[in-house]
Amino acid sequence: MEYQFKIKMNEGLYLRNPEDTELGRKILKHSVELIYKLGFEAFTFKKLAEEISSTEAGIYRYFENKHKLLIYITAWYFGWIEFQINFQTNNIKDHKVKLQKIISLLTSPIEDDKQTSYIDESLLHPVIVAEGSKAYLTKQVAEDNKLEFFQPYKDLCTLIGNVILAYNPNYKFPRSLASTIVEIAHFQNFFMHNLSSLTDFSKRNKETEIVEFLNDLVFSSLDRSDTFKTI
């Protein structure tokens, strides 16, 4: 079954919609590739311009600065993940199985989605794991939040929180658990490859074990008797 993925991005993130032009799509594609290769700190519009045989001025016509670009690709990723969750769990009626599928989608390696030729999701995923938190761990986070730059992340956590409540309607902390699932999926992956003493998965390098850990953590919380109301 084929599908059509299109997310409406916050217009405050760009000066010109990059998905509307060939140059804009090249900016997105090669930004992900360069950030994956160099890291966000070393990534510059000058290097990007050289990569795509354009000019810095041309890139600045689309994005005010590289931080706005990072927020854009992070928001795009969360929108894409939300779409994948909806698409791949649409016919799953068992709420536990649905939540397990969500955990697997958030944690497992991602293949490139051929329906989105200008973004390589297999590279975007490790970029978000390593760099995504830099989109909001900033001094201007409150101002960016007022502009609703992080809405796709919030929408994703709302979706996960709703599945949590469908599984256990009396659980007190669905939003906290939802965002924790996303962050743990990212940070344990990062620790596994970079700070091995902070995780138990370094020697085996298997994301499947992070999935197992998250399932244990999540359902240990949701299945505790004191999370249910006394009948």
Side-chain angles (χ1 to χ4, degrees):
M1 180 186 297
E2 293 188 357
Y3 62 86
Q4 182 90 28
F5 172 73
K6 180 72 174 180
I7 180 173
K8 180 174 173 56
M9 299 298 296
N10 189 313
E11 294 181 1
L13 290 174
Y14 56 81
L15 301 174
R16 183 179 183 183
N17 191 337
E19 296 188 52
D20 286 345
T21 69
E22 182 179 354
L23 175 58
R25 291 188 291 270
K26 286 178 67 175
I27 288 171
L28 295 178
K29 175 180 173 63
H30 290 275
S31 291
V32 171
E33 294 173 357
L34 272 184
I35 295 172
Y36 174 79
K37 179 181 178 181
L38 303 175
F40 183 64
E41 285 78 10
F43 168 80
T44 65
F45 281 179
K46 180 178 181 180
K47 293 175 182 177
L48 177 59
E50 293 173 353
E51 183 75 12
I52 63 177
S53 301
S54 183
T55 63
E56 286 185 75
I59 297 170
Y60 278 111
R61 282 197 286 271
Y62 287 85
F63 290 99
E64 181 181 349
N65 53 53
K66 73 173 190 175
H67 183 67
K68 287 279 184 71
L69 174 57
L70 178 64
I71 298 176
Y72 184 101
I73 62 174
T74 302
W76 192 96
Y77 170 80
F78 285 127
W80 182 81
I81 283 290
E82 181 186 2
F83 181 89
Q84 291 298 320
I85 289 173
N86 282 321
F87 184 75
Q88 296 191 37
T89 66
N90 184 54
N91 295 320
I92 300 176
K93 303 304 181 184
D94 187 311
H95 300 305
K96 182 172 185 177
V97 174
K98 181 175 287 192
L99 191 50
Q100 289 171 330
K101 180 64 174 179
I102 289 171
I103 290 170
S104 179
L105 284 170
L106 288 168
T107 309
S108 302
I110 292 175
E111 296 182 0
D112 183 24
D113 183 352
K114 302 303 181 184
Q115 300 292 324
T116 56
S117 59
Y118 55 92
I119 295 282
D120 185 339
E121 289 81 9
S122 69
L123 299 182
L124 180 59
H125 178 245
V127 165
I128 299 304
V129 165
E131 315 285 357
S133 61
K134 296 170 186 175
Y136 56 85
L137 294 180
T138 65
K139 286 290 187 180
Q140 69 264 28
V141 63
E143 179 181 345
D144 289 345
N145 186 48
K146 288 179 181 178
L147 296 170
E148 301 184 342
F149 288 169
F150 311 115
Q151 194 60 47
Y153 189 12
K154 294 178 181 181
D155 291 343
L156 172 63
C157 289
T158 296
L159 170 63
I160 299 170
N162 288 339
V163 177
I164 289 169
L165 287 177
Y167 177 73
N168 179 353
N170 301 307
Y171 186 67
K172 297 178 180 178
F173 317 109
R175 287 180 296 179
S176 297
L177 184 58
S179 58
T180 295
I181 291 170
V182 177
E183 294 300 322
I184 287 179
H186 290 170
F187 280 120
Q188 287 298 314
N189 186 301
F190 182 83
F191 293 158
M192 181 176 71
H193 293 290
N194 298 281
L195 297 169
S196 58
S197 63
L198 297 179
T199 184
D200 295 300
F201 314 120
S202 57
K203 293 182 180 180
R204 294 174 291 275
N205 285 328
K206 291 183 179 179
E207 285 83 356
T208 54
E209 294 188 332
I210 303 178
V211 173
E212 182 182 350
F213 165 64
L214 265 174
N215 277 315
D216 179 72
L217 185 70
V218 169
F219 291 103
S220 293
S221 295
L222 292 177
D223 292 339
R224 275 170 35 201
S225 60
D226 62 353
T227 64
F228 292 86
K229 293 179 180 177
T230 302
I231 298 176

